[in-house]
Amino acid sequence: METDIRQDVRNKIQSGNFDCAKELTLSMFSGKHKMYILWELRNGDEIHFNQFTRIIPNVSRKVLTNQLNELIQDSIIEKRDYSEGKVKRASYKLTAIGASLIPILTMMYDWGEKRIDQLRIDPVYQTKNFHPDV
Amino acid sequence: METDIRQDVRNKIQSGNFDCAKELTLSMFSGKHKMYILWELRNGDEIHFNQFTRIIPNVSRKVLTNQLNELIQDSIIEKRDYSEGKVKRASYKLTAIGASLIPILTMMYDWGEKRIDQLRIDPVYQTKNFHPDV
DNA sequence: CGGTATCCTGGCGGATACTG
DNA sequence: CAGTATCCGCCAGGATACCG
């Protein structure tokens, strides 16, 4: 099996199969906390590592590091290092490429908001879809 | 753990936490073959089950059924049953809600195409990002 | 402070065979 | 034809502890 969509898409591209445009885009933010990270960075602000750990509910540092590194590898964000001696300090912000992804997230945000409103108003969804066997 | 983003988002919404708009949207097409399915349906066409099995590379019927059913539960697609006697026949097409998702996929497609072009032109990505440790 | 290193687990998705 | 049923392997992501 391969559930790693990033690796999957990379392999396709490297082997000359470029028929995966949507999948490439999806793979940019399909990690569990990536949308959250990108959303926080959307204004162009720099955010420090420990800020993320405080903002994102229940992320371990390992997982956070991992998500950030993947975003860096994909040229979506970039890291700045402020370390002095033993005290490390790092901040992250969007690259130009990453910034170009924000409109998509905004559309997704809008779509989701509207859909949530529908779901709150129309209780049919609750019974018909949230409990399909009723 | 819970990697099931659909369930995750549902739980949030049902428990009154509506702060997951983007995640809800993402959860609509984060199954492995869902984007492919939606893309094929984007014109409003009806597509039969076995057409999908031929179009999508290497899907088992179980997985395909599963992806289709999740999309139905989420009111993204709807099923029509043509069965006569023992011979089953089913087709699937977008709902209005599903159709409203297509512009997002289109944006993702466009973004991915542009990004792929960049990657083909700029070999730096190959060394710097596809092999981060070089 | 900002990471690594280890170990572990739930569940997605694949393979295969059976059914109406 | 269009599914179920069953079994299984893999890996993202969580917990925890250590490091410079």
Side-chain angles (χ1 to χ4, degrees), chain B:
Chain B
M1 216 197 40
E2 21 70 56
T3 37
D4 185 347
I5 181 175
R6 285 178 68 250
Q7 200 58 49
D8 209 21
V9 171
R10 287 165 162 206
N11 292 343
K12 278 189 188 170
I13 291 177
Q14 288 204 312
S15 65
N17 178 1
F18 298 99
D19 186 23
C20 53
K22 304 178 301 304
E23 286 72 14
L24 174 63
T25 309
L26 178 61
S27 74
M28 296 299 104
F29 49 77
S30 62
K32 179 148 190 200
H33 307 285
K34 287 184 184 177
M35 295 231 304
Y36 210 116
I37 292 170
L38 296 177
W39 198 245
E40 294 299 322
L41 294 171
R42 73 185 180 282
N43 302 323
D45 301 341
E46 295 200 355
I47 298 189
H48 288 270
F49 189 86
N50 71 333
Q51 285 183 281
F52 282 123
T53 64
R54 272 182 275 119
I55 295 170
I56 303 173
N58 304 337
V59 222
S60 72
R61 285 187 298 258
K62 189 203 94 174
V63 172
L64 178 57
T65 304
N66 189 42
Q67 305 270 310
L68 291 169
N69 282 340
E70 288 188 357
L71 288 167
I72 291 169
Q73 285 171 33
D74 291 333
S75 305
I76 302 301
I77 67 174
E78 57 194 10
K79 176 181 176 177
R80 208 152 74 177
D81 202 302
Y82 293 100
S83 302
E84 302 179 7
K86 280 201 173 185
V87 180
K88 282 192 186 177
R89 205 119 237 286
S91 71
Y92 300 85
K93 66 169 195 176
L94 289 179
T95 62
I97 294 170
S100 72
L101 213 49
I102 299 300
I104 294 176
L105 295 189
T106 304
M107 276 194 84
M108 292 177 65
Y109 184 86
D110 292 342
W111 192 94
E113 288 257 287
K114 282 183 192 146
R115 187 77 189 108
I116 287 172
D117 283 348
Q118 289 177 2
L119 297 178
R120 300 179 77 168
I121 292 166
D122 176 14
V124 172
Y125 188 85
Q126 310 297 331
T127 56
K128 194 180 83 183
N129 295 307
F130 274 5
H131 304 295
D133 36 14
V134 173

Side-chain angles (χ1 to χ4, degrees), chain A residues 48-64:
Chain A
H48 289 269
F49 188 85
N50 71 336
Q51 285 183 281
F52 282 124
T53 64
R54 272 182 275 120
I55 294 171
I56 303 173
N58 305 336
V59 221
S60 72
R61 285 186 299 255
K62 190 202 97 177
V63 173
L64 178 57

Side-chain angles (χ1 to χ4, degrees), chain A residues 64-125:
Chain A
L64 178 57
T65 304
N66 190 42
Q67 306 270 309
L68 291 169
N69 283 339
E70 287 188 359
L71 288 167
I72 291 169
Q73 285 171 32
D74 292 334
S75 305
I76 301 301
I77 66 174
E78 57 192 13
K79 176 180 175 177
R80 208 153 74 175
D81 202 301
Y82 293 101
S83 301
E84 301 179 7
K86 281 201 170 183
V87 179
K88 282 191 185 175
R89 206 116 237 287
S91 70
Y92 300 85
K93 66 169 196 177
L94 289 179
T95 63
I97 294 169
S100 72
L101 212 50
I102 299 299
I104 294 177
L105 295 190
T106 303
M107 275 193 85
M108 290 177 66
Y109 184 86
D110 293 343
W111 192 93
E113 289 256 286
K114 281 182 194 148
R115 187 74 188 110
I116 286 173
D117 284 347
Q118 289 176 3
L119 296 178
R120 300 179 75 168
I121 292 168
D122 177 14
V124 171
Y125 187 87

